[in-house]
Amino acid sequence: MTTDAVPVCRFGDAPLTIEDVVALAQRQCEAALSDAPAFRAHIQRGADFLDRLLREDGVIYGVTTGYGDSCTVNIPPALVAELPHHLYTYHGCGLGRYLDPVETRAVLAARLASLVRGMSGVSVPLLEGLATLLQHDVLPMIPAEGSVGASGDLTPLSYVAAVLCGEREVLFDGRVQPATEVLAKIGMTPLKLRPKEGLAIMNGTAVMTGLACLAWQRADYLARMATRLTAFNVLASDGNAHHFDETLFAAKPHPGQGRIAARLRSDLHSERPPRNEQRLQDRYSLRCAPHVIGVLEDSLPFLRQLIETELNSANDNPLIDADGERILHGGHFYGGHIALAMDTLKNTVANVADLLDRQLALVVDARYNHGLPANLSAATGPRAAINHGLKALQISVSAWTAEALKQTMPASVFSRSTECHNQDKVSMGTIAARDCLRVIELTEQVVAAMLIAARQGLALRERVGLNAQLHGSLADMYADLGQRIALVEEDRALDRELRELLVEIRAQRWELYAGE
């Protein structure tokens, strides 16, 4: 369904995909709660069952008891209603940078996707409150640091709970403002959390999962960009395009690796046999590009499954089985699958950054680039002596690559026993997700630099004779780069162009391999 031609994502009608979360995060679709009577009745049954247990003096963790190691502390009935307020209050200790607007919307979407499963004992007004924040773009100011990724993303999600109750601060209309003032502006009454609702909001994996959706989508695009850049670098280096032969890759049939080789064949039109005088083998960073990028490509379907399963799960504790009339105490707040996904993804993406760094090191080096000038300088005549081409750019690419590689230490192996040894084995999934996004950010910087190098290298190869013709979308992208980036003949600062290219990369302006 659409409203004013804006697609609507209805929570509760169907499971969410990574693409749904990304679209919500980028304000490309509108959030709405399902209006299906069966869905709303299902949510209400959970809340009603919880109310009945309370009336019958049932003992419910986090409702009539303290939290975590304090689960043996019984809460006097007169104070049960205050407990959710205390939970988000004492967890207001986050530090570090604030999640940016895209990340924050992804977190809100991930939390709502979990709660609409109907096993958290929450009310419809709470779900509507989360949907309203997304609809009006009221974004809680969420500190990025403070979660160990088991018992969920408690501290960062406490900022969501507090905002729903009219406390702390939000980003709205481009300004940080008190939540109570903004809720009044949009006509939303602050919630008074029911028993269990504070725990339901906070005791889950929404921060790491929302960030994981964003990371996956950006990594998928990086795999395509790295493939296109490899094609440019094969041409700039006068390399052997037949390293990507279809029969060759049928002999080692990893599907993603095969797709990368097929993309390179389509870019390079390399079905004809090689010339006799052509080099038999290029260096590994060109010859083995499908094998490196292919590891990322082959990991993406598996990682999608992990992320989307977590996204569409009930991942707080305890869970409410209203139909079976049971309270189920478990550990679904544990973010191990997202931790694995993010540790894996950051490793495979950093390896792609390293591949591109090595390609650039070859193409700027006159000893290895087969006839191009040193540092890809386009200066000629006497002025060539004082111009340095892409010398500093290659140094910066190596710096960004080194930092990306440094970030690949797995976060998931750094479990710490916390909270009086109640949380004695934790996932560190949120740290893994933040690390992964940083690796992706650095790799996108490498890609921006490689676009400048591709434009420069191919132009210089044309000067000495390009032994191939550019076709299709490869030719279109090269022409586009020529419009965006002036040939570097006289030394100039490249930072402005790099930043502009980063904007285009992150907006995924180039449509790559769309016909697959």
Side-chain angles (χ1 to χ4, degrees), residues 111 114-115 119-122 196 199-205 313-319 328 330-333:
R111 197 72 215 115
S114 177
L115 295 181
M119 296 194 71
S120 300
V122 302
K196 174 67 170 61
L199 196 59
I201 296 169
M202 295 167 51
N203 188 222
T205 58
S313 70
N315 48 60
D316 55 306
N317 176 59
L319 294 183
L328 304 171
H332 285 356
F333 47 68

Side-chain angles (χ1 to χ4, degrees), residues 349-495:
V349 170
N351 261 304
V352 169
D354 194 35
L355 175 83
L356 296 177
D357 175 49
R358 295 302 83 212
Q359 289 183 5
L360 183 58
L362 290 178
V363 79
V364 300
D365 193 327
R367 295 171 296 177
Y368 306 114
N369 64 19
H370 306 111
L372 299 184
N375 301 307
L376 298 184
S377 174
T380 57
R383 298 196 63 79
I386 64 167
N387 279 283
H388 299 81
L390 305 187
K391 180 188 285 284
L393 188 66
Q394 193 269 326
I395 295 170
S396 291
V397 166
S398 283
W400 301 328
T401 300
E403 187 173 345
L405 294 169
K406 177 178 174 289
Q407 293 282 348
T408 58
M409 174 74 76
S412 54
V413 300
F414 283 93
S415 175
R416 314 296 302 151
S417 184
T418 66
E419 207 254 314
C420 300
H421 302 293
N422 173 52
Q423 301 174 18
D424 61 345
K425 176 60 178 168
V426 295
S427 77
M428 300 301 186
T430 312
I431 295 173
R434 291 193 290 106
D435 283 351
C436 186
L437 284 170
R438 178 59 178 155
V439 169
I440 287 170
E441 182 180 60
L442 289 161
T443 304
E444 289 166 342
Q445 292 174 194
V446 170
V447 166
M450 296 301 293
L451 290 172
I452 293 175
R455 186 269 186 271
Q456 192 82 1
L458 271 176
L460 293 173
R461 178 58 63 187
E462 286 176 327
R463 281 186 181 179
V464 297
L466 179 62
N467 294 312
Q469 284 191 330
L470 274 62
H471 300 268
S473 63
L474 184 81
D476 293 341
M477 186 169 176
Y478 177 53
D480 181 66
L481 292 175
Q483 293 295 314
R484 294 174 186 272
I485 308 162
L487 192 67
V488 181
E489 296 180 286
E490 287 289 315
D491 287 343
R492 69 173 188 267
L494 295 171
D495 49 353

Side-chain angles (χ1 to χ4, degrees), residues 20-206:
D20 290 330
V21 173
V22 172
L24 285 160
Q26 295 178 345
R27 300 280 286 167
Q28 295 171 350
C29 69
E30 182 178 317
L33 201 60
S34 174
D35 53 11
F39 163 73
R40 293 182 177 246
H42 178 56
I43 298 296
Q44 192 62 47
R45 279 198 301 276
D48 290 346
F49 173 57
L50 204 58
D51 287 345
R52 181 161 63 81
L53 279 184
L54 284 172
R55 288 195 302 271
E56 296 172 356
D57 295 324
V59 176
I60 307 169
Y61 166 74
V63 177
T64 61
T65 75
Y67 300 112
D69 181 62
S70 302
C71 65
T72 57
V73 177
N74 291 322
I75 306 301
L79 298 178
V80 165
E82 294 186 39
L83 192 58
H85 173 88
H86 279 260
L87 180 64
Y88 71 71
T89 298
Y90 79 81
H91 272 288
C93 55
L95 288 177
R97 71 172 181 91
Y98 290 102
L99 299 185
D100 68 29
V102 171
E103 292 167 339
T104 304
R105 295 184 199 111
V107 169
L108 294 175
R111 197 72 215 115
L112 188 52
S114 177
L115 295 181
V116 297
R117 302 295 298 171
M119 296 194 71
S120 300
V122 302
S123 62
V124 171
L126 173 59
L127 303 180
E128 289 174 335
L130 284 168
T132 298
L133 295 184
L134 282 167
Q135 290 161 1
H136 291 273
D137 207 28
V138 177
L139 305 180
M141 298 295 294
I142 303 175
E145 298 171 12
S147 173
V148 295
S151 218
D153 289 315
L154 289 168
T155 289
L157 288 176
S158 77
Y159 291 80
V160 176
V163 164
L164 288 168
C165 296
E167 300 181 29
R168 301 189 191 165
E169 292 182 319
V170 298
L171 180 67
F172 181 68
D173 277 347
R175 293 186 297 113
V176 177
Q177 305 176 54
T180 185
E181 295 178 9
V182 172
L183 295 190
K185 289 177 184 177
I186 67 170
M188 177 177 166
T189 302
L191 296 179
K192 175 67 175 176
L193 295 180
R194 292 164 37 86
K196 174 67 170 61
E197 287 190 333
L199 196 59
I201 296 169
M202 295 167 51
N203 188 222
T205 58

